[in-house]
């Protein structure tokens, strides 16, 4: 068991966690400004399948998130799981430019969603582990801010890269994921063990015992639904109707996300 965390150690861990999360989120929106080129033009796909490239990633995340969280709790060693998830996520992104079929791309995208959400949820769990009850709010606020900034910064970055070589967003995204894994491996360590939920049904039981949790869940669903429609459809509108280049699409998307 690790010794009690000092304020300095906690700050260092928080900065490392925030940095890893920031890098982990960059590839998420790096792909969005060049959706048309990555999916539509590349595979002669209709808008439905271009949208599906974004949706199937989220479906994978939704299905895997409860099991991934339970796995992290049961195994106990969050750092190992985080590094493994980041490496798998980077590898799956790196495979995408080499695929020759839309079905294969969507299958890998589905698996990548599961690996990505495992990394993100493990970072959140580590942040909670390293914060005392009276400081947990500010810790989670800081971590959430790095998540949103990574999402916002990925859009213009992907637009600039995709303007010259759309498939490079996959290569660079995989490289960013690898850097995140290296930082996590060398800069992070697990906090002292705490009582954790180890079964998925225990986590789902919270919704039965505390019905008030359904309110933020419903709000989050509506919020993410609206954002998803805007992120995908807005970018396709900019590319197909207004015929904007990827750099301009990424810039406008970044304004919305920021």
């Amino acid at each position: 068991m690790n010794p009690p965390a000092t304020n300095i150690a906690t700050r260092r861990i928080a900065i490392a966690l925030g940095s890893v999360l920031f890098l982990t989120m960059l590839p998420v929106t790096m792909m969005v400004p060049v959706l048309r080129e990555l999916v539509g033009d590349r595979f002669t796909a209709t808008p439905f399948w271009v949208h599906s490239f974004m949706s199937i990633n989220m479906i994978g995340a939704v299905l895997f998130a409860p099991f991934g969280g339970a796995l992290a709790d049961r195994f106990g060693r969050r750092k190992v799981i985080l590094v493994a998830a980041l490496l798998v996520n980077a590898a799956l992104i790196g495979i995408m430019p080499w695929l020759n079929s839309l079905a294969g791309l969507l299958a890998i995208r589905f698996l990548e969603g599961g690996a990505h959400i495992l990394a993100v949820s493990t970072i959140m769990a580590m942040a909670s582990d390293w914060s005392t009850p009276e400081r947990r709010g500010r810790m989670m606020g800081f971590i959430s801010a790095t998540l949103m900034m990574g999402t916002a910064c990925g859009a213009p970055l992907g637009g600039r890269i995709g303007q010259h070589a759309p498939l490079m967003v996959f290569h660079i995204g995989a490289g960013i994921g690898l850097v995140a894994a290296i930082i996590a491996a060398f800069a992070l360590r697990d906090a002292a063990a705490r009582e954790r939920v180890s079964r998925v049904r225990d986590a789902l039981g919270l919704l039965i015992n505390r019905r008030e949790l359904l309110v933020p869940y419903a709000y989050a669903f509506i919020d993410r639904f609206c954002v998803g429609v805007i992120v995908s459809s807005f970018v396709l509108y900019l590319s197909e109707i207004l015929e904007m280049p990827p750099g301009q699409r990424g810039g406008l998307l970044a304004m919305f996300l920021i």
Side-chain angles (χ1 to χ4, degrees):
M1 182 179 296
N2 294 322
T6 63
N7 288 336
I8 295 177
T10 302
R11 289 194 189 100
R12 288 176 178 171
I13 293 294
I15 292 172
L17 285 170
S19 300
V20 171
L21 185 55
F22 176 84
L23 293 173
T24 303
M25 298 307 300
L26 283 178
V28 173
T29 45
M30 279 177 58
M31 305 176 193
V32 178
V34 284
L35 272 179
R36 174 182 175 181
E37 290 78 7
L38 294 181
V39 185
D41 295 345
R42 183 181 171 195
F43 297 103
T44 318
T46 63
F48 173 85
W49 292 110
V50 178
H51 281 87
S52 297
F53 177 78
M54 299 298 295
S55 298
I56 201 165
N57 177 268
M58 297 296 104
I59 293 173
V62 168
L63 294 178
F64 192 79
F67 299 98
L71 175 66
D73 276 344
R74 177 168 295 184
F75 190 62
R77 300 173 62 188
R78 299 197 196 278
K79 176 181 172 178
V80 173
I81 293 177
L82 173 59
V83 173
L86 290 170
L87 290 174
V88 171
N89 188 60
L92 291 172
I93 294 175
I95 292 172
M96 290 182 188
W98 306 104
L99 299 172
N100 296 319
S101 69
L102 179 59
L105 178 66
L106 295 179
I108 294 298
R109 180 72 168 156
F110 174 82
L111 296 175
E112 187 258 325
H116 181 266
I117 200 63
L118 177 56
V120 172
S121 59
T122 304
I123 290 172
M124 295 290 187
M126 292 183 74
S128 178
D129 288 345
W130 274 97
S131 57
T132 57
E134 62 272 12
R135 291 179 176 268
R136 188 160 297 146
R138 68 187 72 181
M139 170 70 90
M140 301 311 294
F142 169 73
I143 295 299
S144 298
T146 62
L147 182 151
M148 294 311 300
M149 285 305 299
T151 304
C153 292
L157 179 60
R160 290 298 177 184
I161 296 170
Q163 194 147 328
H164 305 287
L167 291 180
M168 280 300 295
V169 298
F170 289 136
H171 297 294
I172 294 178
I176 292 173
L178 181 59
V179 171
I182 293 172
I183 294 175
F186 288 97
L188 295 177
R189 58 189 174 94
D190 289 320
R194 293 182 179 177
E195 183 179 354
R196 294 164 178 167
V197 174
S198 60
R199 295 180 298 179
V200 175
R201 66 181 181 183
D202 292 336
L204 297 178
L206 290 173
L207 289 176
I208 298 176
N209 299 324
R210 302 188 64 178
R211 297 292 180 86
E212 62 271 20
L213 288 175
L214 291 173
V215 176
Y217 269 100
Y219 172 82
F221 175 84
I222 295 170
D223 176 61
R224 292 299 92 191
F225 180 86
C226 294
V227 170
V229 170
I230 293 173
V231 167
S232 297
S233 299
F234 177 59
V235 170
L236 291 180
Y237 171 78
L238 295 178
S239 61
E240 296 182 3
I241 306 301
L242 301 185
E243 299 183 348
M244 287 186 176
Q248 292 183 358
R249 299 175 218 160
L252 289 174
L253 182 60
M255 291 176 62
F256 166 74
L257 294 172
I258 290 173

